[in-house]
């Protein structure tokens, strides 16, 4: 397993937030992260390759399977955990878990893992891109089902923030793709580093607010263990469930890999951004980030192992004439 600098950076800033909960006063973190979110989706629009998007368009059965898993199966599975939380759907911990279930799939890691496992890459690119676009609307809509009456969630204000911070930069990026798209794709590693830097700042800002307000004093070791077991159960139920459905649909091995790898992923990037957009600078943001961070680490480790196993499979032999 290769060293993952992004995960190490996330763990480091959480530790830093614990020691420095007030944060460096010289840095306007709210302004920096708000601007950074806009640039993340501006670059996302620039990097969307029309040719690659079109190449995976026609494999409609897998698209339907993956998107239904991401936005219907995942949230419904989280409903099964309601009895384990005191307060039911009003529990902050359960809402944080439901937030994880409503998020879109990842883009970069899905594509990288499908490529490593020798899956259907054009289909993975299409689904990862499509999932991110759907999630801009689907995630806030799902959260509004259980938080419409909450003072933390004002749907009109959320829509306004979505338009300004996400949809507008995305549309600008898409409109400039003809002129700057190739440059953005050639510099995708640098853009990815920028995206991760913004996420690290959001995580630091969220956890420093949480530690300053002593939010985690209400979250014990038992709660943390419970969340870990639940995100682990979610991952494996969805992963093996997709395997069963893929075989029932008579999908090829390449398509099954793509369905399982894209259908199980949840995006930490979108999660961090949506926390800021939906809840602003609330001290509770760190609580909503907790399940997705646990899930992010799990999915990277487990999918990397599965991908390596698929990569080593024997090539399909063509029948001799």
């Amino acid at each position: 397993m290769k060293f993952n600098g992004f995960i190490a950076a996330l763990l480091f800033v959480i530790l830093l937030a614990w020691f420095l909960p007030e944060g460096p006063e010289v840095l306007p973190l709210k302004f920096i992260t708000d601007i950074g979110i806009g640039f993340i989706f501006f670059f996302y629009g620039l990097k969307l390759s029309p040719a690659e998007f079109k190449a995976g368009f026609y494999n409609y059965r897998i698209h339907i399977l993956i998107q239904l898993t991401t936005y219907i199966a995942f949230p419904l599975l989280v409903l099964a955990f309601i009895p384990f939380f005191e307060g039911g759907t009003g529990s902050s911990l359960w809402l944080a878990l439901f937030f994880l279930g409503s998020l879109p799939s990842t883009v970069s890691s899905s594509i990288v893992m499908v490529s490593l496992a020798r899956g259907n890459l054009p289909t993975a690119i299409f689904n990862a891109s499509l999932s991110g676009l759907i999630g801009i609307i689907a995630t806030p809509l799902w959260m509004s089902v259980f938080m419409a009456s909450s003072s933390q969630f004002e749907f009109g204000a959320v829509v306004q923030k979505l338009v300004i911070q996400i949809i507008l930069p995305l549309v600008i990026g898409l409109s400039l793709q003809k002129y700057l798209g190739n440059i953005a794709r050639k510099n995708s590693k640098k853009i990815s580093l920028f995206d991760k830097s913004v996420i690290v700042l959001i995580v630091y800002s969220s956890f420093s607010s949480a530690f300053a307000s002593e939010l985690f004093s209400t979250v014990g070791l038992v709660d943390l263990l419970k969340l870990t077991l639940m995100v682990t159960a979610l991952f494996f139920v969805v992963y093996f469930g997709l395997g069963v459905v893929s075989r029932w649909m008579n999908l090829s091995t390449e398509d099954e890999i793509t369905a399982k790898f894209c259908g199980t992923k949840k995006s930490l990037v979108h999660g961090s951004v949506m926390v800021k957009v939906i809840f602003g600078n609330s001290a509770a943001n760190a609580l909503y980030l907790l399940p997705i961070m646990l899930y992010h680490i799990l999915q990277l480790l487990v999918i990397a192992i599965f991908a390596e196993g698929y990569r080593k499979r024997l090539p399909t032999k063509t029948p001799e004439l």
Side-chain angles (χ1 to χ4, degrees):
M1 299 295 294
K2 291 183 179 179
F3 172 77
N4 191 304
F6 182 46
I7 291 177
L10 291 175
L11 295 175
F12 172 75
V13 295
I14 291 172
L15 188 63
L16 183 64
W18 185 36
F19 285 109
L20 296 173
E22 300 300 329
E25 296 180 1
V26 293
L27 287 178
L29 287 179
K30 181 183 183 302
F31 176 77
I32 293 172
T33 52
D34 285 348
I35 296 297
I37 287 169
F39 274 108
I40 284 175
F41 282 90
F42 170 71
F43 290 135
Y44 183 58
L46 280 183
K47 288 193 299 179
L48 277 177
S49 171
E52 291 178 336
F53 201 75
K54 185 179 178 181
F57 177 77
Y58 296 102
N59 206 349
Y60 68 92
R61 292 198 304 161
I62 302 182
H63 305 328
I64 294 172
L65 174 60
I66 293 173
Q67 300 309 321
L68 284 178
T69 301
T70 301
Y71 292 112
I72 303 297
F74 255 108
L76 293 181
L77 283 170
V78 178
L79 294 179
F81 293 124
I82 292 174
F84 296 97
F85 292 89
E86 187 177 347
T89 58
S91 165
S92 296
L93 281 174
W94 182 83
L95 285 170
L97 192 64
F98 188 75
F99 178 64
L100 163 67
S102 69
L103 288 173
S105 177
T106 61
V107 177
S108 57
S109 63
S110 291
I111 294 168
V112 168
M113 293 301 180
V114 169
S115 176
L116 176 64
R118 295 192 285 138
N120 189 328
L121 193 57
T123 299
I125 292 170
F126 178 89
N127 271 284
S129 304
L130 179 64
S131 183
L133 295 174
I134 294 174
I136 293 171
I137 304 299
T139 301
L141 280 176
W142 265 122
M143 294 305 294
S144 70
V145 173
F146 296 101
M147 299 191 70
S149 59
S150 172
S151 59
Q152 281 186 293
F153 189 95
E154 296 181 10
F155 193 74
V158 169
V159 170
Q160 186 179 26
K161 289 180 184 177
L162 280 172
V163 171
I164 295 172
Q165 288 191 270
I166 295 179
I167 296 176
L168 186 59
L170 178 66
V171 170
I172 294 172
L174 288 169
S175 64
L176 294 176
Q177 189 181 97
K178 180 179 178 182
Y179 310 101
L180 302 174
N182 288 333
I183 296 174
R185 285 185 285 274
K186 287 178 182 176
N187 292 277
S188 60
K189 288 186 177 180
K190 293 179 181 177
I191 292 173
S192 178
L193 180 61
F194 171 82
D195 292 350
K196 290 175 180 177
S197 299
V198 173
I199 300 312
V200 166
L201 284 177
I202 291 174
V203 169
Y204 173 74
S205 176
S206 299
F207 274 83
S208 60
S209 297
F211 287 130
S213 63
E214 299 183 352
L215 174 70
F216 287 114
S217 62
T218 61
V219 181
L221 184 61
V222 174
D223 290 323
L224 186 60
L225 180 60
K226 182 165 67 175
L227 276 179
T228 304
L229 290 173
M230 287 177 178
V231 298
T232 303
L234 273 176
F235 176 87
F236 284 106
V237 167
V238 173
Y239 183 86
F240 290 111
L242 280 169
V244 171
V245 175
S246 296
R247 287 187 287 276
W248 176 73
M249 293 172 64
N250 293 318
L251 298 181
S252 65
T253 301
E254 290 74 18
D255 286 346
E256 181 181 337
I257 290 168
T258 304
K260 290 198 291 188
F261 284 20
C262 293
T264 53
K265 290 296 186 71
K266 289 293 180 178
S267 175
L268 177 59
V269 172
H270 283 81
S272 303
V273 168
M274 286 297 178
V275 159
K276 283 279 291 177
V277 171
I278 295 174
F279 306 110
N281 293 303
S282 168
N285 286 3
L287 199 61
Y288 287 100
L289 284 174
L290 193 56
I292 179 57
M293 291 182 68
L294 292 171
Y295 191 88
H296 181 77
I297 295 170
L298 173 74
Q299 70 184 7
L300 284 180
L301 294 175
V302 177
I303 291 293
I305 293 169
F306 287 156
E308 184 65 14
Y310 273 118
R311 186 184 68 84
K312 292 178 178 179
R313 74 185 186 277
L314 294 173
T316 304
K317 294 182 179 181
T318 55
E320 295 181 3
L321 297 176

